[in-house]
């Protein structure tokens, strides 16, 4: 049976019409799936009993199942989720004093093979469907009892979201739909390793999430070493695409910069980073690397150096902040998501 979780109103209408069922019920079903997050037609009290019975027989509404929870001492929870299409993906719940942030996956594994990233070491397994992306959000919302509470959502889990462009944008449209999840688009950020054509495509969308670019190096030589995608889209081309993006959309980009000791944190790097950002509407997010002993040959610079880097950038008028790791011991931190089976 087809899994209808992830369908928009149009697709639900099409399904109902195909089965000779009244299509105007599509928007009620849509509200149950995404605004109320109840997945069993038996609970859909505003639908006629006969329709609920038909739906139970003829369709599946499966957002995937939570199969594991690992809680770190800072309250960060890493979820293992088994999506309808198979495999296991990971998503993370982070709770701060004033906000909640969910980090979701867009693919099982990743094709881009960044050298500092555990997901990259898994290789690419498959793209997730819109329903498998939305299912992570819905299941964590329900599990944490978030109710109607707004939260931030980042596509920084497993996978390169812009490599799975259509599914991520389809999920985004349901997330920002007031009849769906009802999130403000400004709360949603997609992070890319620098897929230039997809950045250009995103700039042309009528509605789009915020964009973060995982920069991580200031020379092609270093970037190619740690991010093979740079061979296809070198820094000059990426920066040009970023410039176009900020001009076309009027929106600021975030440059993510994972700090790798001995690789990208020399004074020359800071000089070049400041130069790159000078005429761009960007802010820089510094991310001290989360070490994965025995698996990845990198370590973060000292805490003192991290603070110094931030201060140096601020002194050069670059808006810079530090994203200290959360959930490190649950392996829920950036670059640490890879399913146990693959490890
Ligand atoms: S950092 Fe992102 S793009 Fe690079 S391998 Fe990891 S998941 Fe893929």
């Amino acid at each position: 049976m087809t899994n209808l979780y992830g369908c928009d109103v149009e697709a639900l209408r099409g399904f109902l019409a195909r089965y000779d069922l009244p299509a105007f019920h599509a928007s009620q079903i849509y509200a149950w799936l995404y605004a109320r997050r109840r997945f069993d037609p038996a609970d859909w009290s505003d639908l006629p009993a006969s329709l609920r019975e038909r739906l139970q027989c003829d369709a599946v509404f499966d957002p995937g199942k939570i199969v594991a929870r690992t809680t770190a001492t800072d309250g960060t929870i890493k979820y293992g989720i088994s999506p309808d299409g198979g495999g296991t993906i990971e998503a993370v719940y982070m709770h701060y004093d004033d906000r909640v942030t969910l980090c979701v996956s867009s693919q099982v594994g990743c094709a881009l093979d960044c050298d500092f990233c555990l997901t990259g070491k898994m290789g690419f397994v498959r793209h997730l469907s819109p329903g498998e992306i939305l299912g992570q959000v819905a299941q964590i919302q329900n599990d944490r009892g978030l109710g109607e509470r707004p939260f931030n959502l980042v596509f920084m889990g497993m996978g390169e979201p812009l490599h799975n462009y259509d599914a991520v944008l389809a999920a985004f449209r349901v997330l920002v739909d007031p009849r769906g999840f009802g999130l403000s688009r400004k709360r949603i950020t997609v992070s890319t390793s620098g897929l230039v054509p997809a950045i250009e495509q995103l700039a042309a969308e009528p509605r789009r999430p915020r964009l973060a670019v995982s920069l991580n190096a200031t020379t092609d030589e270093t970037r190619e070493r740690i991010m093979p995608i740079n061979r296809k889209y070198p820094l000059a081309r990426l920066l040009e695409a970023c410039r176009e993006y900020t001009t076309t959309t009027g929106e600021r980009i975030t440059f993510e910069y994972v700090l790798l000791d001995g690789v990208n944190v020399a004074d020359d790097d800071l000089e070049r980073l400041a130069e790159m950002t000078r005429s761009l509407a960007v802010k820089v997010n510094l991310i001290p690397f989360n070490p994965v002993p025995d698996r990845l040959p990198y370590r973060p610079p000292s805490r003192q150096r991290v603070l110094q880097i931030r201060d140096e950038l601020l002194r050069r008028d670059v808006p810079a902040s530090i994203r200290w790791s959360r959930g490190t011991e649950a392996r829920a931190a950036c670059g640490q998501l890879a399913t146990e089976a693959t490890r």
Side-chain angles (χ1 to χ4, degrees), residues 110 112-114 116-117 119-120 157 159-160 193:
C110 183
L112 298 197
D113 197 22
C114 300
F116 52 86
C117 171
T119 310
E160 158 59 63
S193 58

Side-chain angles (χ1 to χ4, degrees), residues 57-319:
C57 295
D58 296 335
V60 183
F61 303 88
D62 181 2
K65 284 165 196 61
I66 293 174
V67 291
R69 280 181 201 80
T70 315
T71 307
T73 45
D74 63 12
T76 297
I77 303 175
K78 181 171 75 174
Y79 287 92
I81 293 178
S82 166
D84 175 57
T88 305
I89 49 174
E90 293 181 342
V92 182
Y93 164 89
M94 289 161 280
H95 187 211
Y96 302 82
D97 288 343
D98 57 344
R99 66 187 192 280
V100 163
T101 298
L102 309 187
C103 172
V104 294
S105 295
S106 53
Q107 298 175 316
V108 183
C110 183
L112 298 197
D113 197 22
C114 300
D115 202 41
F116 52 86
C117 171
L118 263 191
T119 310
K121 300 296 164 205
M122 285 175 70
F124 176 71
V125 181
R126 69 177 179 90
H127 292 305
L128 295 180
S129 68
E132 289 171 327
I133 294 169
L134 295 170
Q136 298 168 64
V137 182
Q139 291 289 37
I140 298 178
Q141 268 184 293
N142 285 354
D143 191 65
R144 293 290 90 213
L146 293 182
E148 301 305 308
R149 185 174 168 189
F151 54 89
N152 298 325
L153 182 67
V154 294
F155 283 83
M156 296 182 188
M158 297 163 74
E160 158 59 63
L162 295 189
H163 183 207
N164 189 13
Y165 190 95
D166 290 343
V168 166
L169 263 286
F172 167 76
R173 285 189 281 272
V174 178
L175 288 164
V176 295
D177 185 344
R179 301 162 306 165
F181 285 80
L183 274 186
S184 156
R185 74 169 193 93
K186 292 186 176 162
R187 288 185 173 274
I188 304 174
T189 302
V190 161
S191 173
T192 179
S193 58
L195 299 188
V196 166
I199 293 173
E200 291 163 351
Q201 195 179 346
L202 193 64
E205 293 286 346
R207 290 188 88 191
R208 71 195 81 73
R210 286 186 183 278
L211 180 66
V213 171
S214 202
L215 190 70
N216 304 331
T218 59
T219 65
D220 280 323
E221 191 194 350
T222 305
R223 198 162 191 270
E224 270 173 32
R225 181 149 59 92
I226 58 175
M227 300 181 74
I229 188 66
N230 197 76
R231 285 182 210 128
K232 199 162 182 191
Y233 305 114
L235 273 172
R237 179 128 192 248
L238 175 59
L239 293 174
E240 193 44 43
C242 292
R243 182 183 314 284
E244 281 290 326
Y245 184 94
T246 53
T247 311
T248 311
T249 63
E251 288 168 17
R252 198 154 76 148
I253 292 177
T254 301
F255 278 167
E256 312 274 355
Y257 198 92
V258 175
L259 300 169
L260 303 166
D261 195 35
V263 177
N264 62 1
V265 293
D267 290 342
D268 286 354
D269 288 300
L270 303 191
E271 195 60 59
R272 283 188 292 264
L273 183 56
E275 190 52 44
M276 279 176 181
T277 57
R278 189 147 294 143
S279 58
L280 277 173
V282 294
K283 61 176 178 165
V284 175
N285 215 346
L286 301 166
I287 307 168
F289 177 69
N290 303 299
V292 189
D294 306 331
R295 293 294 311 272
L296 300 174
Y298 298 103
R299 55 194 161 81
S302 68
R303 189 180 171 87
Q304 190 192 1
R305 178 65 180 151
V306 172
L307 295 170
Q308 201 179 32
I309 290 169
R310 193 242 350 244
D311 294 345
E312 279 296 308
L313 290 173
L314 290 175
R315 198 175 58 75
R316 291 171 162 95
D317 291 330
V318 179

